[in-house]
Amino acid sequence: MEFSPLQKARYAYKPKLPGMLRNGIKEICVKEGEATNSVADQEKIKALFPNTYGKKEITFEKGKNNALDKKQVVGVILSGGQAPGGHNVICGLYDALKATNKDNVLYGFKGGPSGLVEDKYQILDDETINLYRNTGGFDIIGSGRTKLETEEQFKVAAEVCKKHGITAIVIIGGDDSNTNAAVLAEYFQAHNTGVSVIGCPKTIDGDLKNEDIECSFGFDTATKTYSELIGNIERDCNSAKKYWHFIKVMGRSASHVALECALETQPNICLISEEVAAKKMSLSQIANTIADSVCKRAENGMNFGVAIIPEGVVEFVPEFSRLIAEINELLAGEKAKEFNGLKSWNDKYAYIERGLSKDSMNVFKILPQTIQQQLFLERDPHGNVQVSLIESEKLFSALVGNILAERKKKGEYKGKYSALHHFFGYEGRCAFPSNFDSDYCYSLGYNAFMLIQYGFNGYLSKISNLSKPAEEWVAGGMPITKMMNIERRHGEDKPVIRKALVELDGAPFKYFAKNRDKWAVETCYTFPGAIQYFGPSEVCDLTTRTLALEKGIK
Ligand code: FBP
């Protein structure tokens, strides 16, 4: 195996732990906090989690560790989309486990949650772990999106744990995976398996956060990577002065990634899906807003610009989600075969016209043909349109182009409009973790082991005070049930961790809203540059603008 100079240098980086975990394993004790309640639907959640509901939040502090002599065999699982820092969660977990007792064992279940129920694993040792310290990716054991949610799966999981003498499972995942971690923890406790389950908050989307979890890991590195690229495009754009760049950024549902990138780079336009939904904006209203910026800039001789589009935006446009619902209905069951049997696009178009309501057809008509066809090509396993595959950056640039053509005819616009398109998503999910994510993830893993050692079950590893230097971070744990409420999923009431969308009355959005009119017309680009791993703290250890604004830091 060959390694790049940066990879070698990153192996030597020593991630920073919260001050309270730095005194050595023997000097970590538990301070109990208040008993907890779920964020909503308390009675229902309590009834569903009779064994794990209402537990106390805890923090760790300096003091005698009285749980040292319990031998632990831990299984770790990476779940869902990659996020920078996942390897360091495993490294922190491993280091704490081995520092406690060198006979402790760490199993890595392969390919995500399915690895546990299929009993596919690798025992992690020094040699393997040392190859992955401070590196991006989830390739140490792989990840997957299988959900652990059925009684049958839990039963098999319990048998696999028993077979290997496993005492705890750590699930590194997003809101869905940690919801399932809570359900598994309840099952294990109810069946007296003696196995505990600890979750770690992961997702570049940034939507697993709440009053306890300040941010999910990976968000920092992914947004810094996208912001570097957007800043580079802005500089190119301001040099060539001839293109409008439409840049879609990942974030399946919430717009935290788009907003953070906008705060970092000050583009001319950034759509925020949550605002689109709150104002019930139509596609043409959105496109007109962008077109206004194009026209005003053209009047000032600037036929160029940058617009950031969040990946999930179309689902937040009410008329578009109605259209999607009607298309799903139009192709439900056997009807899909009939539709797909039609030979030409004209025949299909006539079928669509007959099946859609007048309002939805009006929306459908204004879409470029490539987008119209995308709505009928890609279906998920449930037969639904996969909204994330819609090229919304192309959709909006085309709609803006149509509006500008109309305005030109009326003599309202005299500029030139040439659009380029980009999608930044996978580029950022496996980047070398920033110092922040390296430290945060290592701490989450290390802390997860302390929770295991002290016998907690159904807890999320919690590191807080993150806008401060790592020395001042606070380590502890939070019962996952505290973050849950009941939501309607696939026609059923389900207990789930509440997803955090962008809050329109939150400080990050307010800052953006205060400045965006100026950014839309003037050229105010800022260039964050590449993530710095070595150098002065003020450039290497920067927190996200989102977290800084949320914590009232200017
Ligand atoms: P997680 O919620 O599992 O962290 O994944 C989020 C994400 O990165 C989204 O931003 C994106 O829409 C999606 O994964 C892509 O999924 P896939 O990797 O399956 O293509």
Side-chain angles (χ1 to χ4, degrees), residues 22 48 50 111 114 143 146 153-154 190 214 225 241 307 340 365 477 491 545:
R22 288 186 192 176
L48 290 164
S114 62
S143 186
T146 302
Q153 287 172 318
F154 295 160
E214 292 174 14
T225 305
K241 302 195 190 296
N340 291 327
K365 272 185 195 156
R545 294 285 296 134

Side-chain angles (χ1 to χ4, degrees), residues 320-437:
F320 200 88
S321 35
R322 267 196 304 278
L323 168 67
I324 302 273
E326 286 189 27
I327 291 176
N328 286 338
E329 196 51 42
L330 192 63
L331 299 190
E334 289 303 300
K335 288 185 269 178
K337 269 197 203 139
E338 191 187 333
F339 178 82
N340 291 327
L342 298 169
K343 292 260 162 354
S344 69
W345 175 244
N346 280 348
D347 290 344
K348 288 181 173 166
Y349 196 93
Y351 184 95
I352 295 163
E353 202 157 24
R354 284 196 300 279
L356 293 182
S357 67
K358 194 161 161 273
D359 286 350
S360 288
M361 194 59 208
N362 286 340
V363 177
F364 189 73
K365 272 185 195 156
I366 64 166
L367 305 178
Q369 200 188 81
T370 45
I371 305 284
Q372 290 177 336
Q373 291 176 337
Q374 279 169 17
L375 292 177
F376 287 86
L377 282 180
E378 308 280 355
R379 326 288 298 166
D380 74 8
H382 306 285
N384 295 325
V385 174
Q386 291 197 57
V387 183
S388 65
L389 296 179
I390 295 168
E391 294 174 303
S392 43
E393 70 283 23
K394 293 190 181 156
L395 166 65
F396 285 109
S397 89
L399 295 179
V400 169
N402 296 343
I403 294 169
L404 294 174
E406 286 299 315
R407 291 188 188 182
K408 199 161 240 179
K409 270 194 225 153
K410 293 186 206 154
E412 294 167 2
Y413 166 67
K414 298 189 173 56
K416 285 189 195 140
Y417 174 70
S418 177
L420 293 177
H421 308 104
H422 316 263
F423 171 35
F424 297 149
Y426 299 97
E427 293 81 348
R429 296 200 312 183
C430 285
F432 278 100
S434 61
N435 286 352
F436 172 85
D437 271 327

Side-chain angles (χ1 to χ4, degrees), residues 17 25 72-77 86-100 104-108 124 129 133 141 168-172 198 200 441-453 461:
L17 283 170
I25 289 289
Q72 302 287 356
V73 180
V74 178
V76 64
I77 298 169
H87 287 159
N88 264 27
V89 180
I90 298 180
C91 295
L93 175 64
Y94 180 84
D95 287 351
L97 169 142
K98 288 290 181 190
T100 303
N104 284 346
V105 184
L106 183 59
Y107 281 70
L124 297 166
I129 289 286
R133 290 186 187 274
I141 48 174
I169 295 286
V170 175
I171 298 183
I172 303 170
I198 301 295
C200 287
C441 292
Y442 188 83
S443 302
L444 284 170
Y446 198 96
N447 186 60
F449 184 74
M450 299 322 303
L451 291 167
I452 292 168
Q453 189 67 12
S461 177

Side-chain angles (χ1 to χ4, degrees), residues 80-81 145 202-205 250-252 311 426 429:
R145 291 198 181 276
K202 169 235 75 164
T203 179
I204 62 153
D205 291 2
M250 255 190 188
R252 191 195 300 274
E311 184 183 10
Y426 299 97
R429 296 200 312 183

